Amino acid sequence: MATAEGESSVHNVSDELFQNFYTEVKQIEKRDSVLTSKQQIDRLLRPGASYFNLNPFEVLQIDPEATDDELKKRFRALSILVHPDKNQGDPDRAQKAFEAVDKAYKLLLDPEQKKRALDVIHAGKEYVEHMVKEKRKQLKKEGKPLDVEEDDPEMFKQAVYKQTMKLFAELEIKRKEREAKEMHERKRAREEEIEAAENAKRQREWQKNFEETRDGRVDSWRNFQAKGKSKEKKNRSFLKPPKVKMEQRE
């Protein structure tokens, strides 16, 4: 489950932003299915692109069911359009757009990553279908007509698009949280390792000093004992009672 901060980040990508992006992009696509270099760069770098570009199929503007050959052709055509060499008037933005295209293509070349992306898209569609059913149940319960806006194929497609983007965003936030947690754990483990090594070093140094000074301590103790015995002997000699002279009888 995403944290409150993560959930807030998802909601910051508002429904209005999703709708505006979707509407504008689809209008451009309808007018020009290829798009110019500038239009493609604008599409890939527009506000909210960090979330929109999480869907590799949307980045490449290709159907999720497209073949590998179609994917390769689409990548080649799109990468040429946004390549920095072709957009020398705006090389920095072109480079960022090219990187987004390249990242999406490489992701879809990985079977496991591609499957994950497809699972998200299917989950988004299933969610919208479920919500449509729930809406109809509620309308039926209220005795109202069962028509919903998602009956319009374009509105249904837009709803799936919005839900899919939200799912991609939530997964990305969870991934970053997991990555941050793992990094924190690695850092803590490293700190504990360094502390243990320092403790071991101090222990070795103490043991070394103890061994090096042991003979000296033993000699000092022996000398101390020897002096004590000598002093004790002298004291005994000093306290020796005098001899008693025998009295002579007359």
Side-chain angles (χ1 to χ4, degrees), residues 1-29:
M1 181 178 292
T3 62
E5 182 180 356
E7 291 175 353
S8 176
S9 298
V10 174
H11 292 310
N12 285 339
V13 185
S14 65
D15 287 345
E16 183 179 358
L17 181 58
F18 272 120
Q19 185 169 348
N20 290 341
F21 177 82
Y22 180 88
T23 302
E24 291 177 22
V25 168
K26 295 309 174 184
Q27 285 176 347
I28 293 173
E29 289 177 345

mmCIF file of all heavy atoms in Angstrom, residues 1-29:
data_model
loop_
_atom_site.group_PDB
_atom_site.id
_atom_site.type_symbol
_atom_site.label_atom_id
_atom_site.label_comp_id
_atom_site.label_asym_id
_atom_site.label_seq_id
_atom_site.Cartn_x
_atom_site.Cartn_y
_atom_site.Cartn_z
ATOM 1 N N MET A 1 0.849 -1.185 0.000
ATOM 2 C CA MET A 1 0.000 0.000 0.000
ATOM 3 C C MET A 1 0.883 1.233 0.000
ATOM 4 O O MET A 1 1.843 1.332 0.744
ATOM 5 C CB MET A 1 -0.893 0.005 1.244
ATOM 6 C CG MET A 1 -1.834 1.219 1.290
ATOM 7 S SD MET A 1 -2.908 1.144 2.748
ATOM 8 C CE MET A 1 -3.914 -0.264 2.308
ATOM 9 N N ALA A 2 0.577 2.202 -0.868
ATOM 10 C CA ALA A 2 1.387 3.398 -0.956
ATOM 11 C C ALA A 2 1.188 4.235 0.287
ATOM 12 O O ALA A 2 0.154 4.200 0.936
ATOM 13 C CB ALA A 2 0.998 4.209 -2.208
ATOM 14 N N THR A 3 2.190 5.053 0.667
ATOM 15 C CA THR A 3 2.089 5.905 1.826
ATOM 16 C C THR A 3 1.202 7.087 1.501
ATOM 17 O O THR A 3 0.836 7.339 0.350
ATOM 18 C CB THR A 3 3.480 6.409 2.223
ATOM 19 O OG1 THR A 3 4.000 7.191 1.135
ATOM 20 C CG2 THR A 3 4.404 5.236 2.500
ATOM 21 N N ALA A 4 0.873 7.882 2.564
ATOM 22 C CA ALA A 4 0.022 9.053 2.355
ATOM 23 C C ALA A 4 0.686 10.015 1.396
ATOM 24 O O ALA A 4 0.049 10.618 0.534
ATOM 25 C CB ALA A 4 -0.250 9.736 3.697
ATOM 26 N N GLU A 5 2.029 10.145 1.539
ATOM 27 C CA GLU A 5 2.747 11.037 0.634
ATOM 28 C C GLU A 5 2.676 10.534 -0.789
ATOM 29 O O GLU A 5 2.495 11.289 -1.734
ATOM 30 C CB GLU A 5 4.205 11.131 1.083
ATOM 31 C CG GLU A 5 5.030 12.070 0.228
ATOM 32 C CD GLU A 5 6.466 12.150 0.705
ATOM 33 O OE1 GLU A 5 6.773 11.535 1.727
ATOM 34 O OE2 GLU A 5 7.260 12.845 0.034
ATOM 35 N N GLY A 6 2.807 9.199 -0.967
ATOM 36 C CA GLY A 6 2.736 8.621 -2.302
ATOM 37 C C GLY A 6 1.375 8.799 -2.917
ATOM 38 O O GLY A 6 1.233 9.134 -4.092
ATOM 39 N N GLU A 7 0.318 8.574 -2.107
ATOM 40 C CA GLU A 7 -1.038 8.722 -2.609
ATOM 41 C C GLU A 7 -1.297 10.167 -3.009
ATOM 42 O O GLU A 7 -1.966 10.447 -3.995
ATOM 43 C CB GLU A 7 -2.029 8.282 -1.535
ATOM 44 C CG GLU A 7 -1.986 6.777 -1.268
ATOM 45 C CD GLU A 7 -2.885 6.390 -0.116
ATOM 46 O OE1 GLU A 7 -3.416 7.300 0.540
ATOM 47 O OE2 GLU A 7 -3.028 5.182 0.138
ATOM 48 N N SER A 8 -0.743 11.107 -2.220
ATOM 49 C CA SER A 8 -0.918 12.509 -2.544
ATOM 50 C C SER A 8 -0.277 12.844 -3.868
ATOM 51 O O SER A 8 -0.810 13.604 -4.662
ATOM 52 C CB SER A 8 -0.293 13.370 -1.429
ATOM 53 O OG SER A 8 -0.363 14.733 -1.756
ATOM 54 N N SER A 9 0.893 12.228 -4.142
ATOM 55 C CA SER A 9 1.587 12.473 -5.403
ATOM 56 C C SER A 9 0.754 12.002 -6.583
ATOM 57 O O SER A 9 0.722 12.632 -7.636
ATOM 58 C CB SER A 9 2.936 11.747 -5.399
ATOM 59 O OG SER A 9 3.749 12.243 -4.367
ATOM 60 N N VAL A 10 0.057 10.876 -6.395
ATOM 61 C CA VAL A 10 -0.788 10.360 -7.472
ATOM 62 C C VAL A 10 -1.949 11.303 -7.721
ATOM 63 O O VAL A 10 -2.269 11.643 -8.863
ATOM 64 C CB VAL A 10 -1.324 8.954 -7.108
ATOM 65 C CG1 VAL A 10 -2.315 8.498 -8.178
ATOM 66 C CG2 VAL A 10 -0.182 7.981 -7.012
ATOM 67 N N HIS A 11 -2.572 11.753 -6.639
ATOM 68 C CA HIS A 11 -3.738 12.613 -6.800
ATOM 69 C C HIS A 11 -3.365 13.978 -7.352
ATOM 70 O O HIS A 11 -4.215 14.680 -7.904
ATOM 71 C CB HIS A 11 -4.454 12.764 -5.457
ATOM 72 C CG HIS A 11 -5.096 11.481 -4.997
ATOM 73 N ND1 HIS A 11 -5.912 10.734 -5.815
ATOM 74 C CD2 HIS A 11 -5.023 10.824 -3.820
ATOM 75 C CE1 HIS A 11 -6.329 9.656 -5.159
ATOM 76 N NE2 HIS A 11 -5.788 9.693 -3.942
ATOM 77 N N ASN A 12 -2.071 14.368 -7.167
ATOM 78 C CA ASN A 12 -1.642 15.639 -7.728
ATOM 79 C C ASN A 12 -1.724 15.631 -9.245
ATOM 80 O O ASN A 12 -1.821 16.670 -9.880
ATOM 81 C CB ASN A 12 -0.199 15.951 -7.287
ATOM 82 C CG ASN A 12 -0.159 16.387 -5.835
ATOM 83 O OD1 ASN A 12 -1.176 16.824 -5.291
ATOM 84 N ND2 ASN A 12 1.001 16.267 -5.198
ATOM 85 N N VAL A 13 -1.613 14.449 -9.824
ATOM 86 C CA VAL A 13 -1.823 14.322 -11.268
ATOM 87 C C VAL A 13 -3.337 14.264 -11.445
ATOM 88 O O VAL A 13 -3.939 13.209 -11.499
ATOM 89 C CB VAL A 13 -1.151 13.044 -11.824
ATOM 90 C CG1 VAL A 13 -1.274 13.020 -13.327
ATOM 91 C CG2 VAL A 13 0.299 12.996 -11.404
ATOM 92 N N SER A 14 -3.957 15.425 -11.478
ATOM 93 C CA SER A 14 -5.397 15.527 -11.375
ATOM 94 C C SER A 14 -6.128 14.951 -12.572
ATOM 95 O O SER A 14 -5.553 14.766 -13.648
ATOM 96 C CB SER A 14 -5.794 17.006 -11.221
ATOM 97 O OG SER A 14 -5.452 17.715 -12.391
ATOM 98 N N ASP A 15 -7.411 14.672 -12.349
ATOM 99 C CA ASP A 15 -8.250 14.181 -13.440
ATOM 100 C C ASP A 15 -8.290 15.202 -14.576
ATOM 101 O O ASP A 15 -8.330 14.838 -15.752
ATOM 102 C CB ASP A 15 -9.672 13.932 -12.923
ATOM 103 C CG ASP A 15 -9.729 12.692 -12.038
ATOM 104 O OD1 ASP A 15 -8.757 11.907 -12.081
ATOM 105 O OD2 ASP A 15 -10.725 12.516 -11.323
ATOM 106 N N GLU A 16 -8.274 16.479 -14.201
ATOM 107 C CA GLU A 16 -8.330 17.522 -15.235
ATOM 108 C C GLU A 16 -7.081 17.483 -16.104
ATOM 109 O O GLU A 16 -7.156 17.624 -17.325
ATOM 110 C CB GLU A 16 -8.446 18.902 -14.566
ATOM 111 C CG GLU A 16 -8.571 20.041 -15.570
ATOM 112 C CD GLU A 16 -8.717 21.391 -14.897
ATOM 113 O OE1 GLU A 16 -8.754 21.427 -13.652
ATOM 114 O OE2 GLU A 16 -8.793 22.399 -15.624
ATOM 115 N N LEU A 17 -5.925 17.262 -15.451
ATOM 116 C CA LEU A 17 -4.683 17.182 -16.212
ATOM 117 C C LEU A 17 -4.692 15.972 -17.129
ATOM 118 O O LEU A 17 -4.300 16.052 -18.296
ATOM 119 C CB LEU A 17 -3.494 17.093 -15.249
ATOM 120 C CG LEU A 17 -2.095 17.035 -15.880
ATOM 121 C CD1 LEU A 17 -1.869 18.253 -16.753
ATOM 122 C CD2 LEU A 17 -1.035 16.952 -14.793
ATOM 123 N N PHE A 18 -5.173 14.837 -16.628
ATOM 124 C CA PHE A 18 -5.293 13.640 -17.454
ATOM 125 C C PHE A 18 -6.189 13.916 -18.654
ATOM 126 O O PHE A 18 -5.880 13.571 -19.787
ATOM 127 C CB PHE A 18 -5.908 12.499 -16.631
ATOM 128 C CG PHE A 18 -4.894 11.694 -15.880
ATOM 129 C CD1 PHE A 18 -4.948 11.617 -14.502
ATOM 130 C CD2 PHE A 18 -3.896 11.010 -16.534
ATOM 131 C CE1 PHE A 18 -4.036 10.869 -13.792
ATOM 132 C CE2 PHE A 18 -2.967 10.242 -15.837
ATOM 133 C CZ PHE A 18 -3.039 10.182 -14.456
ATOM 134 N N GLN A 19 -7.339 14.537 -18.377
ATOM 135 C CA GLN A 19 -8.321 14.764 -19.436
ATOM 136 C C GLN A 19 -7.774 15.725 -20.483
ATOM 137 O O GLN A 19 -7.919 15.501 -21.688
ATOM 138 C CB GLN A 19 -9.614 15.319 -18.833
ATOM 139 C CG GLN A 19 -10.736 15.480 -19.862
ATOM 140 C CD GLN A 19 -12.075 15.777 -19.203
ATOM 141 O OE1 GLN A 19 -12.218 15.657 -17.995
ATOM 142 N NE2 GLN A 19 -13.043 16.165 -20.006
ATOM 143 N N ASN A 20 -7.140 16.817 -20.018
ATOM 144 C CA ASN A 20 -6.595 17.792 -20.965
ATOM 145 C C ASN A 20 -5.508 17.165 -21.821
ATOM 146 O O ASN A 20 -5.463 17.360 -23.041
ATOM 147 C CB ASN A 20 -6.027 19.002 -20.209
ATOM 148 C CG ASN A 20 -7.111 19.839 -19.574
ATOM 149 O OD1 ASN A 20 -8.278 19.750 -19.961
ATOM 150 N ND2 ASN A 20 -6.741 20.655 -18.604
ATOM 151 N N PHE A 21 -4.639 16.403 -21.174
ATOM 152 C CA PHE A 21 -3.557 15.753 -21.907
ATOM 153 C C PHE A 21 -4.120 14.783 -22.943
ATOM 154 O O PHE A 21 -3.727 14.782 -24.103
ATOM 155 C CB PHE A 21 -2.645 15.004 -20.927
ATOM 156 C CG PHE A 21 -1.534 14.240 -21.604
ATOM 157 C CD1 PHE A 21 -0.371 14.872 -21.995
ATOM 158 C CD2 PHE A 21 -1.668 12.872 -21.859
ATOM 159 C CE1 PHE A 21 0.643 14.164 -22.614
ATOM 160 C CE2 PHE A 21 -0.656 12.173 -22.484
ATOM 161 C CZ PHE A 21 0.505 12.822 -22.859
ATOM 162 N N TYR A 22 -5.050 13.956 -22.480
ATOM 163 C CA TYR A 22 -5.634 12.951 -23.369
ATOM 164 C C TYR A 22 -6.316 13.616 -24.559
ATOM 165 O O TYR A 22 -6.101 13.244 -25.708
ATOM 166 C CB TYR A 22 -6.647 12.103 -22.589
ATOM 167 C CG TYR A 22 -7.297 11.027 -23.420
ATOM 168 C CD1 TYR A 22 -6.713 9.765 -23.541
ATOM 169 C CD2 TYR A 22 -8.488 11.261 -24.096
ATOM 170 C CE1 TYR A 22 -7.306 8.783 -24.308
ATOM 171 C CE2 TYR A 22 -9.085 10.278 -24.867
ATOM 172 C CZ TYR A 22 -8.491 9.044 -24.966
ATOM 173 O OH TYR A 22 -9.082 8.076 -25.734
ATOM 174 N N THR A 23 -7.133 14.623 -24.265
ATOM 175 C CA THR A 23 -7.902 15.294 -25.324
ATOM 176 C C THR A 23 -6.989 15.955 -26.343
ATOM 177 O O THR A 23 -7.172 15.801 -27.555
ATOM 178 C CB THR A 23 -8.841 16.349 -24.713
ATOM 179 O OG1 THR A 23 -9.711 15.701 -23.781
ATOM 180 C CG2 THR A 23 -9.665 17.036 -25.794
ATOM 181 N N GLU A 24 -5.979 16.693 -25.838
ATOM 182 C CA GLU A 24 -5.088 17.410 -26.748
ATOM 183 C C GLU A 24 -4.268 16.454 -27.606
ATOM 184 O O GLU A 24 -4.110 16.659 -28.815
ATOM 185 C CB GLU A 24 -4.165 18.325 -25.941
ATOM 186 C CG GLU A 24 -4.895 19.491 -25.290
ATOM 187 C CD GLU A 24 -3.970 20.339 -24.450
ATOM 188 O OE1 GLU A 24 -2.744 20.296 -24.702
ATOM 189 O OE2 GLU A 24 -4.454 21.034 -23.542
ATOM 190 N N VAL A 25 -3.741 15.416 -26.960
ATOM 191 C CA VAL A 25 -2.921 14.454 -27.709
ATOM 192 C C VAL A 25 -3.759 13.751 -28.767
ATOM 193 O O VAL A 25 -3.325 13.577 -29.916
ATOM 194 C CB VAL A 25 -2.281 13.429 -26.758
ATOM 195 C CG1 VAL A 25 -1.673 12.277 -27.555
ATOM 196 C CG2 VAL A 25 -1.199 14.091 -25.927
ATOM 197 N N LYS A 26 -4.957 13.321 -28.407
ATOM 198 C CA LYS A 26 -5.796 12.614 -29.366
ATOM 199 C C LYS A 26 -6.230 13.529 -30.509
ATOM 200 O O LYS A 26 -6.383 13.080 -31.654
ATOM 201 C CB LYS A 26 -7.024 12.025 -28.661
ATOM 202 C CG LYS A 26 -6.675 10.951 -27.634
ATOM 203 C CD LYS A 26 -5.766 9.870 -28.219
ATOM 204 C CE LYS A 26 -5.291 8.891 -27.169
ATOM 205 N NZ LYS A 26 -4.344 7.896 -27.707
ATOM 206 N N GLN A 27 -6.405 14.808 -30.208
ATOM 207 C CA GLN A 27 -6.755 15.753 -31.267
ATOM 208 C C GLN A 27 -5.602 15.897 -32.249
ATOM 209 O O GLN A 27 -5.796 15.934 -33.472
ATOM 210 C CB GLN A 27 -7.096 17.118 -30.656
ATOM 211 C CG GLN A 27 -8.460 17.161 -29.976
ATOM 212 C CD GLN A 27 -8.724 18.495 -29.310
ATOM 213 O OE1 GLN A 27 -7.815 19.311 -29.141
ATOM 214 N NE2 GLN A 27 -9.974 18.718 -28.905
ATOM 215 N N ILE A 28 -4.391 15.975 -31.709
ATOM 216 C CA ILE A 28 -3.206 16.077 -32.569
ATOM 217 C C ILE A 28 -3.046 14.817 -33.402
ATOM 218 O O ILE A 28 -2.779 14.853 -34.605
ATOM 219 C CB ILE A 28 -1.943 16.315 -31.719
ATOM 220 C CG1 ILE A 28 -2.016 17.688 -31.055
ATOM 221 C CG2 ILE A 28 -0.680 16.234 -32.580
ATOM 222 C CD1 ILE A 28 -0.891 17.940 -30.059
ATOM 223 N N GLU A 29 -3.237 13.677 -32.748
ATOM 224 C CA GLU A 29 -3.093 12.402 -33.457
ATOM 225 C C GLU A 29 -4.124 12.277 -34.569
ATOM 226 O O GLU A 29 -3.841 11.730 -35.639
ATOM 227 C CB GLU A 29 -3.245 11.241 -32.471
ATOM 228 C CG GLU A 29 -2.059 11.112 -31.518
ATOM 229 C CD GLU A 29 -2.273 10.004 -30.511
ATOM 230 O OE1 GLU A 29 -3.427 9.550 -30.371
ATOM 231 O OE2 GLU A 29 -1.302 9.611 -29.856
#
